Amino acid sequence: RSNQYGLVPLESQVGFLSGNIRLEYDSLFTQTKKLRPFGFGYGFTPHINFGGKNQMLIPEAYAKVRFKSFEFYVGRRREIQGLVDTLGTMGSYIWSGNALPLPKVEISIPNYTPIIGNGLVSIKGNFAHGWFGKGDSVQKVLLHQKSLYVKIGKPNWKVRVIGGFNHQVQWGGAPTKPFFDNISKQVISKFGNDFPTFLNAVSGVSLSKSGKGWDNQTGVAGNEAGNRSGNHLGTIDIGMELRLKEGRLLVYRQSIFDDGSLFYLNNISDGLFGVSFKSSKPHNILKNITIEYLNTTNQGGGYFFDQASELRGMDNYFNNSIYRDGWTYKNQTIGNSLIVPLSNLDLKSNSNENPNYLINNRVSAINLNMFYSYKGFVANSQIVSSRNFGNYDYVIDKSQVHIKQNIAYFYKGLHYHITIASDLGELWARATGLNLGVKKVFR
């Protein structure tokens, strides 16, 4: 189920039927190597599950337009955010492809584009507005998303350095049930969704800098009045590419920001660290290998005291006191799939009844993922071993191992594949799943 864009239900399936209609851009370059100024494309993917749960999902429905290096798109499509090996990762921390894609309007530079010194400095990034829609605790929540990544080094250099960030904000909307806020002593029936609130969400400026306190901003819950409009989260990423004789080596690190701890380096031990090697030699059997380590156990420490920087802890990753559905969409974690909501587990917590409460957000995990091919067969093997500690309010200690093996083969115009995966350990009940599939591509 992990990183399948929310397409696999918890209930056992008999099967699924999925189609895809897609138009990609024409070649970006003419025969004289000049960039074509315009291009357009679209995609539509209906997906039907039948068996334990019958449902129809649409993970992709979008249209896109390109003008030189810029792209504009509207709709929903499969995406990953953050500096990571998208092929072999266990899941980028903030936006992993685990949940059904959110509908968005976005302008971006999707590929690294030279801006200085004949390719010495290249940039990519995006700026998007999205919709969470109907939730359990808050309705009509909005998404603000932006990112910027810089690559230093010309294409022919053996070493290139990458750095950047992504910033996500849940903002706006209205609580499903109006509530009395004990801090501001007022009834909160909606959250700000006007243009000034949007600017606050984009900039991340603290509302306390307005000169007003936690308890005297009309219509603003105390938790936001003393902090920021919306739920802000994301990562600051650094990495390095090494061009070797046998292929490309990528080393990367995602550092987590959620509640101010990273500013004081309190949670610097948390993050996703990865090393990936991609072979450039056609004769090599091993095509790609990725090793990753994820740690989210620190969270700035087990105490929170706003007036002492060294005690700004208990970040409670992906959860929020205002947006109680947390960093989820359609009951699935948007970020790394090992940070699991209550509805996905058999655990029972007396502290929170919301099924989307991310009860297991203190995780330590290692991922090994390999892709290889031999005589027309393409295979993928993955092992993820984790220790799961719940959160600071609900402490557990459960080990888990996830194993997946996929084999694919192309024969007489058809793509055949078989995937077998198992959960072994204490967090989930022991289970094994089998997927047999065939795909036909029409051009």
Side-chain angles (χ1 to χ4, degrees):
R1 300 183 66 244
S2 298
N3 301 330
Q4 298 298 310
Y5 293 94
L7 297 181
V8 183
L10 278 170
E11 298 84 354
S12 295
Q13 292 177 268
V14 173
F16 69 88
L17 180 65
S18 187
N20 178 261
I21 301 172
R22 183 185 305 272
L23 175 66
E24 288 298 339
Y25 299 130
D26 292 337
S27 175
L28 293 179
F29 296 93
T30 65
Q31 292 182 351
T32 58
K33 304 300 182 183
K34 290 184 179 180
L35 185 69
R36 297 182 188 272
F38 288 100
F40 71 95
Y42 55 80
F44 179 67
T45 305
H47 180 96
I48 300 173
N49 290 319
F50 51 93
K53 185 171 185 177
N54 299 316
Q55 60 183 174
M56 180 172 180
L57 302 169
I58 302 178
E60 289 191 307
Y62 66 87
K64 60 182 181 178
V65 178
R66 178 184 60 81
F67 174 67
K68 295 187 177 180
S69 299
F70 292 89
E71 178 183 88
F72 173 81
Y73 103 84
V74 58
R76 63 183 350 153
R77 65 179 179 183
R78 294 180 172 98
E79 295 177 310
I80 291 177
Q81 278 267 326
L83 177 59
V84 73
D85 174 20
T86 56
L87 183 64
T89 183
M90 72 173 88
S92 184
Y93 170 78
I94 199 66
W95 196 283
S96 69
N98 187 62
L100 194 71
L102 273 74
K104 297 194 301 181
V105 175
E106 176 180 284
I107 185 169
S108 68
I109 302 176
N111 303 307
Y112 282 107
T113 301
I115 60 170
I116 297 175
N118 295 322
L120 175 63
V121 178
S122 302
I123 63 170
K124 64 180 290 189
N126 76 314
F127 190 95
H129 176 79
W131 295 266
F132 280 83
K134 183 178 180 180
D136 289 335
S137 65
V138 184
Q139 306 301 314
K140 299 181 180 179
V141 180
L142 303 173
L143 168 73
H144 166 67
Q145 180 187 77
K146 60 178 173 289
S147 68
L148 178 64
Y149 288 86
V150 179
K151 181 181 290 188
I152 300 176
K154 294 185 177 182
N156 61 340
W157 286 12
K158 291 187 177 181
V159 179
R160 294 193 287 179
V161 178
I162 307 170
F165 73 94
N166 63 79
H167 179 213
Q168 329 284 327
V169 188
Q170 292 173 292
W171 68 284
T176 303
K177 295 181 180 179
F179 64 93
F180 180 78
D181 182 50
N182 289 321
I183 299 175
S184 62
K185 307 301 181 184
Q186 58 184 323
V187 175
I188 302 298
S189 59
K190 66 177 182 179
F191 305 118
N193 61 359
D194 53 11
F195 189 68
T197 305
F198 170 71
L199 293 179
N200 287 333
V202 172
S203 65
V205 172
S206 175
L207 297 183
S208 63
K209 292 185 178 181
S210 65
K212 299 179 180 180
W214 293 67
D215 56 356
N216 63 351
Q217 298 186 43
T218 303
V220 181
N223 187 55
E224 287 200 332
N227 291 296
R228 292 164 176 80
S229 296
N231 177 27
H232 296 246
L233 60 170
T235 63
I236 297 175
D237 306 342
I238 57 173
M240 180 172 60
E241 284 183 344
L242 288 84
R243 188 163 55 87
L244 309 173
K245 289 184 178 180
E246 294 293 319
R248 185 202 69 163
L249 184 69
L250 174 65
V251 182
Y252 52 89
R253 164 66 189 263
Q254 298 183 355
S255 296
I256 300 166
F257 67 85
D258 191 298
D259 195 24
S261 293
L262 185 61
F263 180 81
Y264 300 104
L265 301 182
N266 291 352
N267 71 332
I268 194 63
S269 61
D270 287 347
L272 179 68
F273 176 79
V275 179
S276 170
F277 176 76
K278 183 177 182 179
S279 174
S280 60
K281 303 297 182 180
H283 62 273
N284 286 353
I285 295 176
L286 182 64
K287 300 300 182 184
N288 197 98
I289 180 169
T290 302
I291 301 173
E292 291 181 320
Y293 172 66
L294 172 72
N295 183 51
T296 65
T297 62
N298 184 291
Q299 303 195 18
Y303 300 93
F304 178 84
F305 184 62
D306 193 42
Q307 277 66 45
S309 60
E310 66 275 11
L311 295 178
R312 286 182 61 93
M314 298 191 71
D315 287 353
N316 205 8
Y317 294 155
F318 290 175
N319 289 310
N320 186 263
S321 62
I322 296 293
Y323 297 91
R324 294 185 178 273
D325 291 331
W327 194 234
T328 66
Y329 182 62
K330 304 298 184 183
N331 306 115
Q332 294 278 359
T333 305
I334 297 171
N336 188 282
S337 62
L338 297 181
I339 301 178
V340 185
L342 186 60
S343 62
N344 283 220
L345 299 172
D346 294 329
L347 300 176
K348 303 299 181 183
S349 171
N350 295 326
S351 62
N352 199 305
E353 296 181 356
N354 189 324
N356 293 315
Y357 181 65
L358 291 134
I359 196 169
N360 185 52
N361 61 17
R362 298 183 63 233
V363 179
S364 175
I366 296 176
N367 167 53
L368 173 63
N369 202 342
M370 297 180 292
F371 290 81
Y372 35 91
S373 65
Y374 182 71
K375 291 186 177 181
F377 287 91
V378 178
N380 165 225
S381 303
Q382 184 176 24
I383 300 175
V384 180
S385 177
S386 66
R387 286 190 67 185
N388 303 270
F389 300 99
N391 59 47
Y392 278 117
D393 291 327
Y394 184 82
V395 178
I396 61 174
D397 187 354
K398 295 181 180 291
S399 297
Q400 189 74 32
V401 176
H402 314 271
I403 302 173
K404 184 183 73 172
Q405 178 64 55
N406 173 269
I407 300 175
Y409 186 71
F410 181 78
Y411 180 70
K412 290 187 176 181
L414 295 175
H415 298 260
Y416 299 90
H417 77 85
I418 177 172
T419 302
I420 186 169
S422 293
D423 285 326
L424 308 171
E426 306 166 308
L427 189 64
W428 280 280
R430 288 175 174 254
T432 296
L434 177 67
N435 185 322
L436 300 172
V438 60
K439 180 173 71 173
K440 172 67 176 177
V441 178
F442 301 91
R443 299 185 184 278

